[in-house]
Amino acid sequence: MEKRATFGSKLGIILVSAGSAVGLGNVWRFPTEVGANGGAAFILVYILCVILLGVPLMTAEFIVGRNTHQNPFDAYRTLAPGTAWVFQGGMGVFAAWFILSYYSVVAGWTLQYLISAVMGRVTTMSDSAAYFTEFTQSAWMPVVMTAVVLLMSHWVIVRGVQAGIEKYSKLMMPLLLLIIAVLVVGSFAMPGSSDGLRFLLKPDFSKLDGGVLLSAMGQAFFSLSVGMGCLCTYASYFTDDARLLKTAGSVALIDTMVAVMSGFIIFPAVFSVQTVAPDAGPGLVFITLPSVFQMAFENVPLVGWFFAVMFYLLLLLAALTSMMSLHEPVTALFIERFRLSRRTATSVVTLSCIALGTVCALSFGPLKDVRFLFGLTFFDFFDFLSAKIIMPLGGFLLSIFVGWYLPRNLVIKELTNNHKLRFPRWLFVSFFFLIRWVAPLAIMAIFINELLP
Ligand code: PFF
């Protein structure tokens, strides 16, 4: 059999995985959830979810991928031959396909806003809400932008594992971190920004309930990309000396830092202009921020322009690296299962996502009244199905698979790189405790709580 590609370096491995994790979920979804769920208390619960559920589950996914060096579907087939576990792998790939389709729509909005920002429109528009509604409801531009971002991701994926995914992640991720640092400093420097900091740092525990917990967990899964085929696929390209626990820890740390820093960029800025609410919902970055860029820099429009361009560039870079990680599992499945060339496999995924993405993009405009199951639009249905159902379900099944089904020796062999690494005993004990008990029970409890009236 042909030798399978691997990533070239440990830094590359951390950056590609962080590229998957850091995305719209951090810069767009996280601040929205923080705003809607009461600020700092939500952040604390979120961080607990990341440590207790996210890191062990991410490690578990790495174990499945690195041990088999196969796409998720074949990975589960190899580890559990002749069982229904193969559906877990299949579901992950399928969900990646779905997420890529609707995720590209928001990435497409971001590209549109970046172009508008460069042309100076974001900082001069008179009514940002009207601009957003008009743009998202139109029949053409959102579809075109969705297709363009999918073609950008295609352009990288078609180049393969090292010359595509790794090379571009190594360029894009450091740039992204640099932009974040510049924006945080700028946002802090705005007069009145301390109210925003207080909102982010002072917990209001009265807001905590089952709903908040479910949101925090859903957000942690979404943000860390766990419970789907993406990290499993990336891990299938990891080298034998990659340290799985350490990689998971580093990725979770980078991801959480970027999310919290995005909050530090957005809320001080929002509070500093005072006329817009912090719980503005998904429109926060597309409706609220343009007004913030305008109002805060009324006297120095060039600085406002710079902020706007940097912010939407950041959002686009974050979105693209995550799109690459959603593109690859489906592509790898087509290459390995159906023996397609990388070029053909990537094209099949890109074209099918453009088709699905078009339906999602139009569900804000011409298809707004076409309701799918549960009375949701296509876009909302895709989001609901993947973030609220498939990712937690995938996480639950993953914890059962690695915690209970796989032989303990195999898990330890992967964690220790074939017994080359030494860890204190408490680390294994904690890992198995979290993955066998805490993760499945927590996911179930939160689900049941949500189902009860
Ligand atoms: N983690 C990405 C984000 O925060 O935007 C989104 C994502 C990528 C979710 C890959 C799921 C996934 F499998």
Side-chain angles (χ1 to χ4, degrees):
M1 205 169 127
E2 195 183 319
K3 191 162 167 5
R4 207 156 181 275
T6 56
F7 292 123
S9 66
K10 286 194 185 137
L11 179 67
I13 284 175
I14 292 185
L15 289 181
V16 293
S17 311
S20 172
V22 172
L24 294 169
N26 304 59
V27 191
W28 174 61
R29 214 166 178 276
F30 181 80
T32 308
E33 295 277 321
V34 172
N37 291 301
F42 176 84
I43 301 185
L44 286 181
V45 178
Y46 175 80
I47 291 177
L48 273 183
C49 287
V50 167
I51 297 172
L52 298 180
L53 305 175
V55 174
L57 284 170
M58 189 186 285
T59 311
E61 207 166 322
F62 285 164
I63 290 174
V64 174
R66 211 255 310 255
N67 183 265
T68 54
H69 293 294
Q70 284 173 320
N71 66 75
F73 183 84
D74 287 314
Y76 281 88
R77 234 161 83 117
T78 304
L79 289 171
T83 67
W85 279 109
V86 65
F87 287 109
Q88 159 79 345
M91 184 175 79
V93 175
F94 210 66
W97 210 341
F98 265 36
I99 296 189
L100 180 58
S101 305
Y102 84 85
Y103 196 85
S104 313
V105 174
V106 185
W109 297 349
T110 308
L111 177 62
Q112 165 76 22
Y113 270 70
L114 175 61
I115 296 172
S116 295
V118 172
M119 296 193 325
R121 288 198 60 193
V122 167
T123 33
T124 50
M125 58 177 69
S126 52
D127 184 345
S128 58
Y131 178 87
F132 179 72
T133 317
E134 200 180 306
F135 164 68
T136 51
Q137 290 188 355
S138 74
W140 277 107
M141 282 322 270
V143 175
V144 172
M145 291 296 163
T146 304
V148 174
V149 286
L150 275 163
L151 288 172
M152 289 178 171
S153 164
H154 176 100
W155 196 81
V156 174
I157 295 299
V158 94
R159 283 168 170 66
V161 174
Q162 268 196 30
I165 302 171
E166 184 172 2
K167 179 172 161 197
Y168 288 93
S169 301
K170 276 179 160 172
L171 277 174
M172 290 154 84
M173 289 307 289
L175 183 60
L176 181 150
L177 296 174
L178 180 73
I179 297 180
I180 290 230
V182 172
L183 290 179
V184 170
V185 173
S187 187
F188 277 13
M190 290 185 181
S193 62
S194 53
D195 290 341
L197 284 182
R198 209 162 299 130
F199 178 72
L200 277 174
L201 297 176
K202 209 165 138 234
D204 174 3
F205 290 105
S206 66
K207 288 257 164 50
L208 290 187
D209 59 15
V212 171
L213 218 59
L214 184 76
S215 299
M217 187 183 69
Q219 174 61 22
F221 280 113
F222 188 83
S223 189
L224 295 174
S225 313
V226 291
M228 323 249 327
C230 300
L231 295 174
C232 176
T233 308
Y234 273 2
S236 73
Y237 306 126
F238 283 8
T239 42
D240 290 337
D241 62 351
R243 299 171 173 222
L244 303 188
L245 260 174
K246 195 171 160 195
T247 306
S250 316
V251 172
L253 186 70
I254 297 177
D255 190 69
T256 307
M257 268 171 45
V258 171
V260 173
M261 298 234 276
S262 300
F264 279 140
I265 293 172
I266 291 175
F267 291 110
V270 166
F271 276 85
S272 97
V273 297
Q274 285 186 356
T275 48
V276 279
D279 56 354
L284 193 66
V285 304
F286 294 110
I287 299 175
T288 313
L289 282 188
S291 322
V292 171
F293 293 136
Q294 262 179 45
M295 288 189 258
F297 300 105
E298 241 169 351
N299 303 326
V300 268
L302 202 63
V303 180
W305 176 88
F306 176 78
F307 257 72
V309 171
M310 283 297 129
F311 182 80
Y312 293 109
L313 179 62
L314 161 76
L315 206 55
L316 185 66
L317 287 173
L320 276 174
T321 49
S322 296
M323 284 175 65
M324 282 148 48
S325 80
L326 290 158
H327 217 137
E328 181 61 20
V330 201
T331 306
L333 178 83
F334 280 130
I335 296 175
E336 287 161 14
R337 196 104 284 276
F338 303 116
R339 305 263 160 247
L340 298 183
S341 67
R342 179 165 276 275
R343 181 164 294 280
T344 314
T346 316
S347 306
V348 172
V349 181
T350 308
L351 291 175
S352 55
C353 286
I354 291 181
L356 283 175
T358 299
V359 181
C360 290
L362 294 180
S363 72
F364 290 88
L367 298 184
K368 159 158 109 257
D369 297 321
V370 181
R371 297 291 153 141
F372 214 48
L373 294 176
F374 312 118
L376 297 171
T377 63
F378 282 104
F379 182 95
D380 290 340
F381 177 72
F382 276 31
D383 182 38
F384 171 78
L385 187 69
S386 42
K388 294 256 155 73
I389 308 276
I390 298 186
M391 297 191 86
L393 182 65
F396 177 78
L397 293 175
L398 176 70
S399 64
I400 302 291
F401 187 72
V402 173
W404 297 95
Y405 183 87
L406 284 185
R408 206 181 158 95
N409 283 346
L410 184 147
V411 175
I412 293 186
K413 195 179 130 222
E414 282 303 324
L415 288 176
T416 57
N417 290 353
N418 215 358
H419 307 289
K420 286 195 197 75
L421 305 174
R422 298 252 156 255
F423 290 120
R425 216 182 104 75
W426 64 262
L427 207 94
F428 294 117
V429 175
S430 321
F431 176 78
F432 279 103
F433 179 68
L434 290 173
I435 204 82
R436 290 185 137 198
W437 297 103
V438 178
L441 288 176
I443 299 173
M444 235 165 38
I446 294 171
F447 245 145
I448 292 171
N449 183 8
E450 186 64 4
L451 293 181
L452 294 176

